[in-house]
Amino acid sequence: MMTCEEISKIYLFSILSRSAMKTALIRDGELSIEELPIPSLAHGDILIEMKACGLCGSDIEKIRGEYNVSPTIGHEASGVVKEISVNVTGIEEGDRVFPHHHVSCKSCHFCRTGSDTMCKSYREFHFDPGGFSEFFRVPKWNVKQGGILKLPENMSYDQASFIEPTGCCIRALRRSGIAKNDSLFVVGAGPIGLTVLQLAPLFGIPNVIISDVNPKRLEFARRHGALVTLDPSNEDISAVIMKETKGVGVDCAIIASGNPKAVRQGLESIRRGGSVILLGIPPLESSLDYGVERLVNNEVTMISSNAANDGEVRLALDFISKGHIDVDSMITHKFSIESIDIALEKISGGDVIKSIIIP
Ligand SMILES: [Zn+2]
Ligand SMILES: [Zn+2]
């Protein structure tokens, strides 16, 4: 028997489900702006009213058909819990939240050995239809595995849209094995590179060198503590880095760009015995043109880092709420769901650092 409360919830939801909502998704390999019915909830699901959703490099690769790990676009979302299904506890309508789009099982071999973002369940569940929607459904799995984080009062929805990408940067720094006072070169000063730059002091790394072709991004990096900023379009990056490090090279390079050339740049800038961390996602079928013997003879460590686990997004929320990362100044542009195509055209040109989509 259902309780009166449960019946009234289902009734309320049936009213919601009759109205339509705007959404941007990929249909037949193309970006499509559509009016769809608000998703129906199954037991254990929740419905979120989106307030902000970051446009990520991986969304753009998905739209261009260059990334096929998951077809859903919009994963850096924040919003208000609009509706909860039966069998949901600890979450209430009206809660301000960050829903994590992927959540691991915490018990399989991958989860137990620190590869929780490789867990089979991690990518199996996702937002429906995606984060670039006025409303989206978060499946029961994510809800019951603790993937709904409540936002502190001082955190805006715009700031909360940075929790997921910041979690990815924290994972990369953790996986890097970087030690206190090591030298770090961040290749690429997009939102990911600039977040790594701002996280570095929290990991005991005071001196960061960063590169990008975009002067606005380099200017941001200088204002946020970069020791040296470099533009590969008019500087010999590895020569400058060798000079800065007295001919040794940096201890670690984090590649915050999907361009395979950036990986090569990192490899040519590290010291012998140094490490390169692959964080940006290269397009499908890209390959690396680099002598394998150089990797071995120079004892190079290459580590990849993909997505973020539960602990990393929780730490990201904590760092953002304490003001350790200047998220507000990274958001340079906001676009509505209908104008997402304009956001895509502008993604990395001119004065854009981070674009977010708002309802
Ligand atoms: Zn992302
Ligand atoms: Zn697992």
Side-chain angles (χ1 to χ4, degrees), residues 73-334:
I73 53 170
H75 58 274
E76 301 175 355
S78 64
V80 179
V81 177
K82 194 68 186 170
E83 188 65 41
I84 55 175
S85 172
V86 289
N87 301 336
V88 173
T89 50
I91 300 166
E92 284 172 25
E93 286 158 24
D95 280 350
R96 305 166 71 251
V97 295
F98 158 77
H100 196 184
H101 68 129
H102 292 325
V103 187
S104 61
C105 80
K106 303 184 173 87
S107 60
C108 73
H109 179 74
F110 296 96
C111 286
R112 282 188 278 105
T113 51
S115 296
D116 35 14
T117 60
M118 301 292 111
C119 168
K120 188 172 164 289
S121 304
Y122 186 77
R123 283 195 174 79
E124 198 176 328
F125 305 94
H126 46 77
F127 302 157
D128 166 31
F132 301 136
S133 303
E134 285 180 282
F135 297 90
F136 59 88
R137 181 181 67 86
V138 183
K140 175 184 173 182
W141 172 265
N142 301 48
V143 176
K144 113 179 138 64
Q145 291 294 109
I148 309 296
L149 278 59
K150 290 187 191 169
L151 305 182
E153 263 172 37
N154 70 341
M155 187 183 281
S156 69
Y157 292 113
D158 291 358
Q159 290 167 340
S161 73
F162 269 76
I163 293 173
E164 196 276 341
T166 302
C168 299
C169 297
I170 290 171
R171 183 173 188 82
L173 279 159
R174 279 181 165 176
R175 286 176 60 74
S176 70
I178 198 162
K180 219 172 162 199
N181 294 320
D182 274 0
S183 50
L184 173 64
F185 173 33
V186 179
V187 190
I192 290 289
L194 293 173
T195 301
V196 171
L197 167 72
Q198 295 176 76
L199 287 169
L202 303 168
F203 284 77
I205 314 299
N207 299 326
V208 179
I209 301 171
I210 191 163
S211 68
D212 205 285
V213 292
N214 182 321
K216 179 168 175 134
R217 293 176 171 196
L218 293 181
E219 198 258 324
F220 184 103
R222 278 190 290 278
R223 274 192 287 119
H224 290 78
L227 177 71
V228 180
T229 58
L230 301 169
D231 179 350
S233 62
N234 57 35
E235 281 170 295
D236 180 346
I237 301 286
S238 41
V240 178
I241 287 183
M242 286 303 157
K243 197 164 157 244
E244 286 291 331
T245 55
K246 300 185 175 69
V248 175
V250 288
D251 298 303
C252 177
I254 294 186
I255 316 304
S257 157
N259 188 338
K261 279 188 195 155
V263 182
R264 201 185 160 94
Q265 191 77 77
L267 283 164
E268 285 169 352
S269 306
I270 56 166
R271 66 169 169 85
R272 301 182 75 205
S275 52
V276 169
I277 316 305
L278 309 179
L279 174 57
I281 300 171
L284 273 177
E285 290 174 33
S286 41
S287 58
L288 177 63
D289 175 23
Y290 195 80
V292 181
E293 87 292 348
R294 292 170 73 187
L295 298 179
V296 180
N297 291 334
N298 293 322
E299 208 174 48
V300 170
T301 302
M302 280 185 99
I303 296 173
S304 53
S305 187
N306 191 260
N309 69 16
D310 185 54
E312 288 146 1
V313 290
R314 285 174 192 274
L315 191 56
L317 184 151
D318 184 53
F319 284 167
I320 293 170
S321 77
K322 287 180 178 151
H324 290 316
I325 301 154
D326 179 7
V327 162
D328 293 332
S329 341
M330 278 196 276
I331 302 171
T332 51
H333 292 71
K334 290 186 183 184

